[in-house]
Amino acid sequence: MNRKGKLSLNNPETFDMLLKLVNKKLPEANTMYFGVREDLNVERLLASMESVKEAADIVAEALAAISEKVRKIKPEKLKNMNVEDFSNFLVKIMGPPSTLKDMSMRLQKGIEKRGGATKFIASMASVTRLIEYLLTGAKGFFIVIKQHAFDKEFKEKLKEKEEEAKSLYSYDVIGKMLADEEETPFREGVNVVFTDCFGRNYGFLIPVIIQEFLRTFNEGIIVLDDLPQPDVYSKVIQWIVNRPDEVEGCKLALFVPSAYLPTVEECVDSVRKMVSEKCIVFDMNSDFFHTLHERASATVHAWLYEKFFEMEEKRREGECYFIHHDAFEEVNWEVISLRKGKIERLRGIFRRIF
């Protein structure tokens, strides 16, 4: 639902249109919305705090990634909370950092930027370098103290940050997505969930929805048409991609807009795993191209390079092609056109994938 443009589901008319389409094509589907909006005429999905507890490891890691007050959160802290406790905890860690915490985090970032603790220790070999390092750090400390103590505009921004945290994570807001009760919102059959929680503010809850589904069914297929904001939730993406390996009977299909993925290790590993056995590729960020062929022969590399070039030429002529990969088929790679009469071929591919 975070997609922009005319077809963004943040547009009420577009949402209503898609909802009608789902109801028409999947009349028996259990359709729900997960998020904080109140203007949608659809049943609300409430995930259980039990799912937060079961996904505590990744939720804690995700929260630490977006917090300006803490760098690490112990998963155990999340395992004995009710919704109100969780809300209070979120307000606390998502607020502005204190002066000392701000100093500490800026120093840590400075150390990381200069090469980490190893480089810092190495600098001690030179008195000149050590003095330079400490003076630069001291300058940063004075900037922090000055901002927190005397800069009126900065203090106002801190106040705004505090109010924003209260607004985003109050009990009334979090209570629209989480419940203390363990009553499952999912039913046998097809469950369709609309959510606008893929962004920074609530992306840490995507694993909770998935865990809620996996708690309900021993086997199931999860289809996601988006991923949590990659620049801050790369580890969450990795967690999602690993579900089929770690949960028996779980199958996963993802639509991945690779152009928006940062080339950090977690995302590269995730893409590598996503394309290793079965995938359909319409286009791909060139930074991830190697994941398609790194375990294949040089001829496959050359074939893929040539086919992407041909696909782009065809696209400019108004045709749509994609590359289909299935490691379990005799022909591992093929290019398929979506010209008239080829839709059944695509449907057959999806049936084989699942």
Side-chain angles (χ1 to χ4, degrees):
M1 289 184 67
N2 291 337
R3 302 262 168 80
K4 297 179 180 179
K6 293 181 179 179
L7 295 181
S8 169
L9 296 187
N10 286 319
N11 181 329
E13 293 181 0
T14 306
F15 181 85
D16 289 342
M17 179 182 69
L18 183 59
L19 186 59
K20 289 177 182 177
L21 181 63
V22 170
N23 291 336
K24 180 180 179 180
K25 297 294 184 180
L26 299 168
E28 302 300 321
N30 178 28
T31 305
M32 297 172 286
Y33 164 71
F34 182 83
V36 301
R37 289 173 60 178
E38 296 182 325
D39 60 334
L40 303 177
N41 186 27
V42 64
E43 182 182 347
R44 185 177 295 279
L45 186 159
L46 291 176
S48 168
M49 284 301 295
E50 183 64 23
S51 294
V52 175
K53 175 181 177 180
E54 292 179 2
D57 287 355
I58 188 61
V59 173
E61 196 158 13
L63 289 174
I66 62 173
S67 172
E68 294 182 14
K69 295 188 74 170
V70 296
R71 295 188 64 85
K72 189 173 183 179
I73 296 171
K74 293 182 179 179
E76 289 73 21
K77 280 191 173 183
L78 308 179
K79 293 184 177 181
N80 296 308
M81 292 184 177
N82 58 26
V83 175
E84 186 172 5
D85 295 334
F86 190 52
S87 166
N88 292 335
F89 178 70
L90 291 174
V91 171
K92 180 180 178 181
I93 66 169
M94 294 305 174
S98 65
T99 306
L100 289 176
K101 180 60 69 173
D102 199 358
M103 284 183 181
S104 174
M105 294 186 75
R106 291 197 193 198
L107 178 60
Q108 181 66 30
K109 288 179 181 178
I111 291 174
E112 291 171 355
K113 187 175 181 180
R114 298 176 198 195
T118 303
K119 189 170 182 180
F120 174 71
I121 293 171
S123 71
M124 293 184 182
S126 166
V127 175
T128 304
R129 288 182 183 176
L130 178 58
I131 292 173
E132 178 188 353
Y133 195 98
L134 292 176
L135 284 177
T136 306
K139 180 181 178 182
F141 284 173
F142 285 126
I143 290 174
V144 174
I145 293 172
K146 182 179 179 181
Q147 284 181 324
H148 280 265
F150 306 110
D151 191 325
K152 183 178 179 181
E153 184 178 351
F154 184 76
K155 292 172 77 173
E156 288 177 354
K157 287 183 179 179
L158 292 181
K159 184 65 176 177
E160 289 175 7
K161 179 74 176 176
E162 184 178 359
E163 293 302 317
E164 180 185 43
K166 292 178 181 178
S167 173
L168 289 171
Y169 305 111
S170 69
Y171 175 67
D172 289 341
V173 172
I174 297 301
K176 294 175 183 176
M177 296 178 283
L178 301 176
D180 293 322
E181 297 77 17
E182 294 185 30
E183 184 177 351
T184 179
F186 295 106
R187 300 199 300 257
E188 290 287 344
V190 178
N191 293 271
V192 178
V193 179
F194 295 104
T195 181
D196 45 10
C197 292
F198 285 105
R200 181 187 181 93
N201 291 336
Y202 301 113
F204 61 89
L205 290 175
I206 296 298
V208 178
I209 311 175
I210 294 174
Q211 189 62 36
E212 184 77 21
F213 178 83
L214 295 174
R215 281 199 324 118
T216 306
F217 303 109
N218 292 327
E219 295 185 6
I221 300 172
I222 300 172
V223 181
L224 295 178
D225 82 328
D226 207 344
L227 292 169
Q229 189 170 326
D231 60 334
V232 288
Y233 289 123
S234 59
K235 290 188 181 298
V236 172
I237 293 173
Q238 193 173 42
W239 181 90
I240 291 171
V241 172
N242 286 337
R243 288 308 86 202
D245 290 341
E246 299 184 12
V247 180
E248 186 177 357
C250 173
K251 293 185 178 181
L252 178 68
L254 295 170
F255 174 78
V256 182
S258 61
Y260 303 103
L261 293 179
T263 53
V264 296
E265 182 180 354
E266 294 87 359
C267 286
V268 174
D269 285 345
S270 297
V271 172
R272 181 182 291 116
K273 181 165 288 188
M274 283 186 268
V275 303
S276 63
E277 294 184 353
K278 299 181 180 183
C279 66
I280 291 174
V281 184
F282 288 89
D283 201 352
M284 194 173 204
N285 183 336
S286 59
D287 290 331
F288 296 100
F289 177 68
H290 69 281
T291 63
L292 288 174
H293 61 76
E294 60 187 4
R295 292 184 178 87
S297 65
T299 54
V300 171
H301 179 188
W303 183 88
L304 285 168
Y305 191 86
E306 178 186 355
K307 295 307 176 185
F308 271 112
F309 179 77
E310 292 178 4
M311 285 166 59
E312 179 58 26
E313 286 192 322
K314 293 295 184 182
R315 252 194 292 270
R316 295 183 183 188
E317 296 172 4
E319 296 185 41
C320 183
Y321 283 76
F322 63 87
I323 290 176
H324 171 231
H325 170 55
D326 189 334
F328 304 102
E329 293 289 325
E330 185 175 349
V331 178
N332 288 347
W333 299 91
E334 58 181 336
V335 176
I336 298 174
S337 167
L338 281 184
R339 287 178 297 178
K340 188 176 180 180
K342 299 288 186 178
I343 299 299
E344 282 302 318
R345 176 84 171 105
L346 180 61
R347 288 175 178 167
I349 289 172
F350 276 113
R351 282 194 289 269
R352 292 207 304 275
I353 287 177
F354 294 121

